[in-house]
Amino acid sequence: QKEVEQDPGPLSVPEGAIVSLNCTYSNSAFQYFMWYRQYSRKGPELLMYTYSSGNKEDGRFTAQVDKSSKYISLFIRDSQPSDSATYLCAANTGNQFYFGTGTSLTVIP
Amino acid sequence: KAGVTQTPRYLIKTRGQQVTLSCSPISGHRSVSWYQQTPGQGLQFLFEYFSETQRNKGNFPGRFSGRQFSNSRSEMNVSTLELGDSALYLCASSGGLQETQYFGPGTRLLVL
């Protein structure tokens, strides 16, 4: 079992839709949780990170961590074609980082 | 503050050759990690260096090696290249609290 599991998709939504991306993890020692966005043939770009449980909002993006169910979520409101990318979730024990395999998202104009 | 930089950006090699990739972390970051990314396997952790010492290592053969210099710049070397080594090689750096990593643009390696 991988430390961080992520549905690879692909996910296709119309412009303006609310997108929900999800990951599960198995290691209770994870302290920090991250979401990265990766455009084709580019390096991953950090979108946001959270510490422990709770929500964090940044513009149209909301990251949510539920440590009781070991669930990580990223919500994108009013999705735009420019949001089309692969989204990677990640978690960190403070010592090593673990990544999901990424979910491919396409926002259709 | 400048981001993580990687050179070269693209590389074509033939089987059996060796290659050296370079990474300059964000100024002040002392931790540098290397990853291999392929469409089928996603991000695979190679190794992490902190203050010139390898602190963590992934499950890759000994053909993959790295080092870190006193200015935190890091290099990764792959010897005796195989076709399966074709991938995007990513470098990421972390600050003191290690709360997250910042990635460079990657080096795309093609082995023919």
Side-chain angles (χ1 to χ4, degrees):
Chain A
Q1 184 188 8
K2 287 177 70 77
E3 300 269 2
V4 178
E5 300 273 5
Q6 183 174 11
D7 186 340
L11 186 61
S12 185
V13 301
E15 182 176 353
I18 296 174
V19 177
S20 173
L21 303 169
N22 305 293
C23 294
T24 58
Y25 65 93
S26 55
N27 190 341
S28 299
F30 286 149
Q31 299 175 0
Y32 294 96
F33 303 88
M34 290 135 274
W35 283 95
Y36 291 84
R37 177 176 63 195
Q38 186 174 23
Y39 292 113
S40 181
R41 308 184 78 80
K42 303 285 188 185
E45 169 198 9
L46 178 67
L47 275 177
M48 27 196 335
Y49 72 92
T50 56
Y51 174 70
S52 194
S53 281
N55 292 1
K56 186 172 183 179
E57 189 174 318
D58 183 1
R60 297 185 294 110
F61 298 88
T62 299
Q64 193 174 78
V65 176
D66 183 346
K67 293 193 83 175
S68 62
S69 59
K70 296 188 174 66
Y71 209 75
I72 316 166
S73 299
L74 178 71
F75 299 97
I76 308 174
R77 291 182 298 281
D78 187 26
S79 56
Q80 303 295 309
S82 59
D83 295 328
S84 298
T86 296
Y87 290 80
L88 297 151
C89 60
N92 175 17
T93 60
N95 187 36
Q96 191 169 339
F97 293 82
Y98 298 86
F99 290 83
T101 51
T103 299
S104 175
L105 170 68
T106 300
V107 180
I108 303 168
Chain B
K1 190 182 270 193
V4 178
T5 58
Q6 291 186 246
T7 56
R9 295 292 312 278
Y10 303 93
L11 211 47
I12 300 175
K13 292 285 187 179
T14 56
R15 276 182 302 174
Q17 286 187 309
Q18 75 164 13
V19 66
T20 299
L21 313 181
S22 180
C23 170
S24 291
I26 291 172
S27 178
H29 285 190
R30 291 162 63 189
S31 169
V32 173
S33 296
W34 288 90
Y35 296 86
Q36 181 194 68
Q37 188 177 40
T38 57
Q41 298 294 321
L43 269 174
Q44 307 261 63
F45 173 70
L46 282 155
F47 29 67
E48 183 218 359
Y49 285 87
F50 182 85
S51 293
E52 301 180 65
T53 301
Q54 188 180 86
R55 190 159 67 172
N56 287 301
K57 188 178 187 305
N59 190 26
F60 276 79
R63 300 185 297 107
F64 293 82
S65 62
R67 59 177 175 168
Q68 187 179 34
F69 302 95
S70 58
N71 61 359
S72 293
R73 190 178 70 86
S74 178
E75 286 183 349
M76 189 192 96
N77 184 273
V78 188
S79 63
T80 318
L81 284 165
E82 301 176 359
L83 295 179
D85 297 333
S86 295
L88 180 67
Y89 289 89
L90 292 159
C91 164
S93 75
S94 292
L97 292 178
Q98 298 272 106
E99 70 274 13
T100 190
Q101 289 184 323
Y102 298 87
F103 283 87
T107 294
R108 189 163 294 278
L109 172 64
L110 177 62
V111 182
L112 301 175

